[in-house]
Amino acid sequence: MRKAAALVTGQEHVDGAVESVVFYNSDNGYTVARFQSEDGEAMTIVGAFPPLSPGEVLRLHGWWELNARFGRQFKVKRFSMTLPASAKGIEKFLASGLVKGIGPVLAGRIVAAFGAGTIDVLNAEPDRLREVGGVGAVKIREIKRSWAEHRGIRDLIMFLQEHGVSTGLATKIYRQYGDRAFTVLRSNPYQLALDIAGVGFKTADQLALKLGMDPGSPERVKAHILYVLEKDNEQGHVFSLEADVAARSSAELGVEAEAVERAAAALVKGRRIVAEDEPAGRALYLPFFHQAQDEVARAIHKLAGFPCRAPDFDLDRAVAATERDLGMTFSPLQRRAIRESIERKILVITGGPGTGKTTIVKGVVDVFGKWGKEVLLAAPTGRAAKRLAEATGREARTIHRVLEFQPKKGTFKRNESNPLRGEALVVDEFSMVDLPLMSHLLKAVPPWMRLVLVGDQDQLPSVGPGNLLRDIIESGTVDVVRLDQIFRQERESLIVVNAHRVNQGQSLVFAEPGDKGADFYFIRQDDPDQAFQTIVKMVSTSIPRRLGLSPLSPQIQVISPMYKGVVGVENLNTELQKRLNPGGEGLPAGSRVFKARDKVMQLRNDYDKDVFNGDIGSVVHADRAKYRLLVDFDGRTVCYEKDELADIALAYAVSVHKAQGSEYQAVVMPLLTQHYIMLQRNLFYTALTRAKKLSVVIGSFKALHIAVKNDDPVKRNTRLKDRLVRLGPAGPGV
């Protein structure tokens, strides 16, 4: 191809027009398009753009790359936009549908009327469109609005491009503020972090400094304080200590600690944060979390103290009848748990694997059924709800489903004015429930309803803020049944035995050499590359052969403590895809490619599709023509359009947090000293207990020792326990 310009610092520029758009991601602007250069050469371009339309004239700056899958492509680093000058180019541009109200037929009539001057008419004299037959006042208003938006986005992109801002972000800014975008950017760019999803402090700060914002500006310091509080929330903290915030903001911004304190005081005065004196120092809360913590404490105290309606039958007889009906014999502790679920307004049931939590839930549901009362079953995730339903033979739903979450509104139908119905609510895997969700749940629990919280306090706490299960138990204000007996049928399981030994900080028990029937194995591999090869062997041949499963089965899961590194989640997904599912064309989505038969995981709750965060499925078809993906989730096919592909990820390997609440027949876990920061007892325990039939740990004895002995996870800043203690015991409630 003849170059439009000579190479400059390893790059070149090409002038031409867009032929067609192959792919566009509205979240980040990533675009794949066909492009025709001025010399008539057809080419493929990739990069971040605003919504492009055929006929749009661009000058592209970038370089050529040879993609192994898609051939020669021009990778665009930056670009400038111009409007077509010729009548033919203008007609094609308008016919693309970019301007609402103008289709191919009308585009032809408009250009026939104004020729090469059409763009000038749209810019300066849009009312002249009345001269075109069939164009009335309503149509003109529609065209004017759409054309103004197109110009606004284009002008903003050009302005922000000069300051190194991506096209995707520029488009988001315009969609949020419209004509106010320039005003917001010049007055307080940090507003972007508050108003636009996906824009954090760092992005807003870079833009602000490029636009000339004073590095010591109070607005900058206030924005950073809010950023620190949000980051701490993401790490599970409900509040942050002011001294820590001041030290971090001072160091990261290069300002005096006094400036941070003044900014914090201004935020408190403006009610954008809440401050409270705590024993460890002054605590800073984002208002929602301060309110949620108080509301949860008061709601638990109120519910626990509400009179509990006693059953009108002999409870011991009912429990005995349940034993006969279910064909099992309860232990004394299990009988106590079932009785107290009837006799108490709030009951916590906690214990490790093999201690009979599921058996108790079955018994609770059956006894309430004999009483003729409805029991609602809920869990934090779709996978956990499915497991609960399978175990009990009763309907179980996610907490969001139980509360009738409305995604478009971001609210719940079930609340104080529209409470849940039923005699009792049982929540399984309660350790995964965070403070915000618990706040919404308790609002929907009426005073007459019993609440049974079931979970393992030794597992990882929730991803979101709070440490609810542990705080409620340690407060001593709610009745707790602690299950510590491993039942006979579980004693031979090394998974169960070792899970309890991990909790006690004891050395693990390994299978005897040559024992082919054990359910737990430790394979020593000190080298990450060797560990990787062993993982590949395990999931591709050894485990499938033993369990009679396909290597691509969702019942075989690699769980890694880290995302980075040779045996981190990211590299494992890339490499396992190559080895377990080679060949075939895929559907590119950013840096990822999805192919038929790929294991994928849903990354967020989608109530319209009825798929939930953590659900694992298999790609049925990667439709390149329609740019969509068809995924099978337990026999149900779900369609993902091109702008929805960010909701899924490859799932040959997942993190421990993503695996929480799920169970798999076989789990393979790398455990190396390179994972040092994540070698924690509760994390290892959580991964170990995801396996039902087989758990294989691959790594070093040193890393295993650290993971078992390290019982000092990061302490979360929460005051729920203290709030409950301050309110005091509510009494038995019978």
Side-chain angles (χ1 to χ4, degrees), residues 327-346:
M328 57 182 63
T329 301
F330 299 132
S331 71
L333 204 54
Q334 286 177 319
R335 288 194 190 94
R336 178 193 154 196
I338 295 170
R339 284 188 60 96
E340 292 200 9
S341 71
I342 306 289
E343 296 173 341
R344 305 290 182 235
K345 288 305 300 225
I346 302 182

Side-chain angles (χ1 to χ4, degrees), residues 110 114 121-122 125-132 135 140 143:
I110 292 173
F114 304 113
V121 170
L122 289 170
E125 301 175 284
D127 289 332
R128 285 190 61 194
L129 292 172
R130 290 193 180 92
E131 299 172 20
V132 180
V135 179
I140 288 175
I143 293 171

Side-chain angles (χ1 to χ4, degrees), residues 321-616:
T322 291
E323 287 182 309
R324 290 193 302 272
D325 293 344
L326 298 180
M328 57 182 63
T329 301
F330 299 132
S331 71
L333 204 54
Q334 286 177 319
R335 288 194 190 94
R336 178 193 154 196
I338 295 170
R339 284 188 60 96
E340 292 200 9
S341 71
I342 306 289
E343 296 173 341
R344 305 290 182 235
K345 288 305 300 225
I346 302 182
L347 179 67
V348 174
I349 301 171
T350 185
T355 58
K357 296 191 298 295
T358 301
T359 299
I360 291 171
V361 174
K362 287 182 183 177
V364 168
V365 171
D366 193 81
V367 172
F368 271 104
K370 287 181 167 54
W371 190 12
K373 303 298 183 182
E374 183 183 4
V375 179
L376 303 179
L377 299 178
T381 67
R383 297 279 292 184
K386 184 181 177 184
R387 284 176 46 217
L388 183 60
E390 291 171 348
T392 60
R394 304 292 184 94
E395 181 188 33
R397 297 173 289 167
T398 65
I399 295 173
H400 281 76
R401 280 287 188 201
V402 169
L403 297 178
E404 298 178 34
F405 182 62
Q406 304 173 94
K408 293 180 180 178
K409 295 182 178 179
T411 58
F412 298 89
K413 280 188 179 180
R414 296 291 181 178
N415 49 39
E416 305 99 319
S417 57
N418 183 29
L420 298 170
R421 297 176 182 176
E423 191 68 26
L425 170 64
V426 178
V427 182
D428 198 16
E429 294 286 357
F430 185 70
S431 63
M432 299 177 66
V433 177
D434 61 20
L435 180 65
L437 185 56
M438 186 62 168
S439 175
H440 290 296
L441 179 65
L442 288 173
K443 287 176 183 176
V445 175
W448 58 85
M449 180 175 274
R450 292 164 174 81
L451 185 60
V452 182
L453 308 175
V454 184
D456 185 347
Q457 71 174 35
D458 296 312
Q459 284 193 29
L460 289 171
S462 58
V463 174
N467 198 350
L468 285 165
L469 181 58
R470 189 173 289 275
D471 279 351
I472 291 171
I473 290 173
E474 292 182 355
S475 74
T477 60
V478 171
D479 288 290
V480 179
V481 176
R482 293 177 173 83
L483 306 173
D484 52 14
Q485 177 187 352
I486 304 176
F487 288 90
R488 181 170 53 83
Q489 64 268 30
E490 302 284 357
R491 289 176 189 164
E492 297 180 0
S493 167
L494 288 183
I495 294 174
V496 173
V497 170
N498 282 327
H500 288 272
R501 292 183 71 85
V502 167
N503 264 342
Q504 295 161 13
Q506 299 175 349
S507 300
L508 272 59
V509 177
F510 300 134
E512 295 291 332
D515 185 354
K516 302 295 185 182
D519 64 358
F520 174 84
Y521 298 91
F522 177 78
I523 301 174
R524 182 177 181 181
Q525 290 288 3
D526 297 319
D527 179 70
D529 292 317
Q530 290 298 315
F532 170 78
Q533 294 299 331
T534 305
I535 292 170
V536 173
K537 181 183 177 183
M538 285 289 115
V539 300
S540 61
T541 57
S542 303
I543 294 174
R545 189 184 302 123
R546 171 168 168 172
L547 298 181
L549 297 170
S550 163
L552 296 172
S553 169
Q555 289 300 323
I556 302 174
Q557 189 60 61
V558 180
I559 301 177
S560 178
M562 299 286 283
Y563 276 91
K564 302 296 183 181
V566 176
V567 290
V569 170
E570 293 176 357
N571 186 62
L572 282 169
N573 272 318
T574 301
E575 296 301 321
L576 288 174
Q577 183 191 45
K578 292 178 184 176
R579 287 163 171 79
L580 301 182
N581 194 22
E585 286 192 341
L587 199 64
S591 61
R592 303 164 300 163
V593 176
F594 295 110
K595 300 188 294 183
R597 302 176 68 231
D598 272 338
K599 286 171 63 174
V600 294
M601 174 178 279
Q602 176 73 12
L603 300 178
R604 68 175 186 87
N605 292 338
D606 189 325
Y607 297 92
D608 294 328
K609 296 185 186 299
D610 201 33
V611 287
F612 303 93
N613 185 9
D615 284 355
I616 290 180

Side-chain angles (χ1 to χ4, degrees), residues 199-216:
V199 177
F201 169 80
K202 291 187 175 180
T203 301
D205 191 48
Q206 289 175 358
L207 178 56
L209 295 176
K210 288 174 180 176
L211 293 175
M213 176 73 73
D214 178 6

Side-chain angles (χ1 to χ4, degrees), residues 695-715:
S695 178
V696 181
V697 177
I698 301 167
S700 69
F701 281 114
K702 184 178 181 180
L704 182 65
H705 177 79
I706 294 171
V708 172
K709 296 299 181 182
N710 182 11
D711 191 27
D712 189 28
V714 177
K715 186 178 181 298

